[in-house]
Amino acid sequence: MFIKENLSRKEQVYLHATEMFKDRGYAATSMRDLANSLGIEAASLYSHIRSKEELLRKICFDIAAEFIGGLINVEQKDIPASEKLRLGIISHTKVIARDLASAAVFFNEYRNLSPAYLHDFLLLRINYINRFKKMIKQGIADDEFAEVDIKLAVMTMFSSLNWMPTWYNHTESIDQEKVSTELAQMLIKGLKK
Amino acid sequence: MFIKENLSRKEQVYLHATEMFKDRGYAATSMRDLANSLGIEAASLYSHIRSKEELLRKICFDIAAEFIGGLINVEQKDIPASEKLRLGIISHTKVIARDLASAAVFFNEYRNLSPAYLHDFLLLRINYINRFKKMIKQGIADDEFAEVDIKLAVMTMFSSLNWMPTWYNHTESIDQEKVSTELAQMLIKGLKK
DNA sequence: CCTACCGATCGGTAGG
DNA sequence: CCTACCGATCGGTAGG
């Protein structure tokens, strides 16, 4: 990875750490690897951060906050359930597309958090999922959606969205706006009666 | 994990390794952890296996073979593209459901393979994906499916399927047959015109 | 399957 | 930001 000149050293550390955790996994990335990618010694990292886990923690909880923040905006609107779900999906994909590497770490590396933080993380996640479940339930109650299994539906939806960082590439043909809208459309069509 | 008495020691080693790689990740699972779960010393593992990576390799490539084998059966049938895709999805989910832990390792831990094996693995995977892409293309050409972006469609599909091991639980309410058919139905409905 | 190890590498600290 | 380390742990081997 190249080093961006306009970032503080601490920001550079986070940027490189996120990219490396995504590519190799948290456990398989050593602090020496990380230091090396920045052209410094491993010991020097500790004048910018407290520990390796601090890196993971910040990446995971910052993205969690973005997901929740985006959803709150959508929930307040007075619109049909299917439309709410569509906007919820778009909000979710936008958070992912804005920072693919952090999202990938969020989805795949959170289990490396120490028990106390892992606990908090899982609570945030279950809360977020439940709010999507609520939208789908509402859609079924209002006769907009077919009588699908709620858990299956919401998990299918999140699966489609959360695997995005592993295949979506900013430089490629499909642009982010199109991915968001097509994905939302395809998933909602799958739920409709 | 409990130890099943009717399995050979080698099979027990693989069973425990698969479960632990799934839960903690390959890099975060030490051979001492693995030995401990079997009630033996780490050094004793090496009378059953050659190396840690051999475990990962066998898990990943065995599942790859199952995926490909299942698809070949479907491809030979003379049926419409949408039906072929439906059976392809069902075959895929059945491989996953038959061994959730191995499938999870296949999807999330393959990147820990050493370069030479990683290369072969990625070739198998791209080949498999391309065969699904072909079915979707055929469906569009035959006017069965809407003019979706092929890459987006196939990635959405695999995402939905491949995240299954992380949320599907054999002991739970939804049975495997229902998951397979509902999932296939939802995804294909999302593609239709 | 065990004891007794091996060299390498890990995350991190002290002190400048 | 560096040099010089620390104790702990890693995957794995020798020899029984």
Side-chain angles (χ1 to χ4, degrees):
Chain A
M1 255 188 93
F2 61 97
I3 296 174
K4 291 194 182 152
E5 295 290 348
N6 54 333
L7 294 178
S8 75
R9 205 51 160 160
K10 188 172 179 177
E11 288 170 324
Q12 283 173 19
V13 170
Y14 269 95
L15 206 70
H16 282 238
T18 306
E19 208 68 40
M20 294 180 85
F21 291 170
K22 176 202 163 196
D23 290 337
R24 319 182 184 185
Y26 175 79
T29 303
S30 76
M31 296 305 270
R32 280 156 182 85
D33 291 336
L34 175 56
N36 206 266
S37 85
L38 289 153
I40 60 175
E41 293 300 316
S44 307
L45 289 168
Y46 292 89
S47 42
H48 304 291
I49 57 156
R50 261 184 285 263
S51 68
K52 186 185 180 187
E53 205 205 346
E54 187 186 70
L55 290 167
L56 181 61
R57 222 154 53 208
K58 194 172 182 313
I59 296 166
C60 290
F61 283 92
D62 281 4
I63 293 288
E66 287 202 59
F67 279 135
I68 293 164
L71 191 55
I72 286 172
N73 275 333
V74 170
E75 284 175 332
Q76 288 163 343
K77 299 195 162 140
D78 189 24
I79 47 178
S82 65
E83 189 59 15
K84 213 175 246 190
L85 183 60
R86 201 178 63 81
L87 293 179
I89 291 172
I90 288 173
S91 158
H92 189 86
T93 56
K94 280 194 173 158
V95 172
I96 295 172
R98 206 181 304 136
D99 190 348
L100 291 169
S102 293
V105 173
F106 175 96
F107 293 127
N108 300 304
E109 304 301 328
Y110 68 87
R111 63 184 162 178
N112 294 291
L113 288 167
S114 58
Y117 287 101
L118 180 58
H119 178 81
D120 290 352
F121 180 90
L122 293 175
L123 285 182
L124 286 178
R125 196 178 66 163
I126 194 74
N127 175 278
Y128 187 69
I129 292 174
N130 280 339
R131 287 152 78 169
F132 274 92
K133 275 190 182 170
K134 221 172 126 183
M135 295 183 193
I136 296 178
K137 271 183 203 155
Q138 190 61 51
I140 296 176
D142 295 349
D143 236 33
E144 283 196 276
F145 296 152
E147 290 263 357
V148 292
D149 182 283
I150 307 273
K151 186 180 177 185
L152 182 68
V154 81
M155 285 300 119
T156 301
M157 189 191 93
F158 276 117
S159 305
S160 309
L161 303 178
N162 297 352
W163 207 260
M164 235 181 96
T166 69
W167 62 264
Y168 179 73
N169 187 329
H170 273 300
T171 63
E172 252 176 287
S173 51
I174 326 176
D175 80 1
Q176 192 264 310
E177 210 66 43
K178 199 184 165 200
V179 170
S180 283
T181 53
E182 267 211 45
L183 212 45
Q185 199 182 7
M186 206 174 344
L187 291 171
I188 287 176
K189 201 201 282 180
L191 288 174
K192 285 252 170 102
K193 287 208 118 171
Chain B
M1 255 188 93
F2 62 96
I3 295 174
K4 290 193 184 153
E5 294 289 348
N6 54 333
L7 294 178
S8 75
R9 206 50 160 158
K10 188 173 178 177
E11 290 170 324
Q12 284 173 19
V13 170
Y14 270 95
L15 207 69
H16 283 237
T18 305
E19 210 67 43
M20 295 179 85
F21 291 170
K22 177 202 162 193
D23 290 337
R24 318 183 186 185
Y26 175 79
T29 303
S30 76
M31 296 305 270
R32 278 157 183 85
D33 291 336
L34 175 56
N36 206 266
S37 86
L38 289 153
I40 61 175
E41 293 301 315
S44 307
L45 290 168
Y46 293 88
S47 43
H48 304 292
I49 57 157
R50 262 184 285 262
S51 68
K52 187 185 180 187
E53 205 206 346
E54 186 186 71
L55 290 167
L56 180 61
R57 222 154 53 206
K58 193 171 182 314
I59 297 166
C60 290
F61 283 91
D62 280 4
I63 293 288
E66 287 203 57
F67 279 136
I68 293 164
L71 190 56
I72 285 172
N73 275 332
V74 171
E75 284 176 333
Q76 288 162 344
K77 298 194 162 136
D78 188 23
I79 47 179
S82 66
E83 189 58 16
K84 213 174 246 191
L85 183 61
R86 201 178 64 79
L87 293 180
I89 291 171
I90 288 172
S91 158
H92 189 85
T93 56
K94 279 193 173 158
V95 172
I96 294 172
R98 208 180 302 138
D99 190 349
L100 290 170
S102 293
V105 173
F106 175 96
F107 293 127
N108 300 304
E109 303 302 327
Y110 68 87
R111 62 184 164 181
N112 293 291
L113 288 167
S114 57
Y117 288 102
L118 180 57
H119 178 81
D120 289 352
F121 181 89
L122 293 175
L123 285 182
L124 286 178
R125 195 177 67 163
I126 195 74
N127 175 278
Y128 187 69
I129 292 174
N130 280 339
R131 285 151 79 168
F132 274 92
K133 276 190 182 170
K134 221 172 126 184
M135 295 182 194
I136 297 178
K137 271 183 201 155
Q138 190 63 50
I140 295 175
D142 295 349
D143 236 33
E144 283 197 275
F145 296 152
E147 289 263 355
V148 291
D149 182 283
I150 308 273
K151 185 179 177 184
L152 182 68
V154 81
M155 285 302 118
T156 301
M157 190 192 92
F158 276 117
S159 305
S160 309
L161 303 177
N162 296 352
W163 208 260
M164 235 181 96
T166 69
W167 62 265
Y168 179 73
N169 187 329
H170 274 298
T171 63
E172 252 176 289
S173 52
I174 325 177
D175 80 1
Q176 191 263 309
E177 211 66 42
K178 199 183 166 200
V179 170
S180 283
T181 53
E182 268 211 44
L183 212 45
Q185 199 182 7
M186 207 177 340
L187 291 172
I188 287 176
K189 201 201 283 181
L191 288 175
K192 286 253 170 103
K193 288 209 115 169

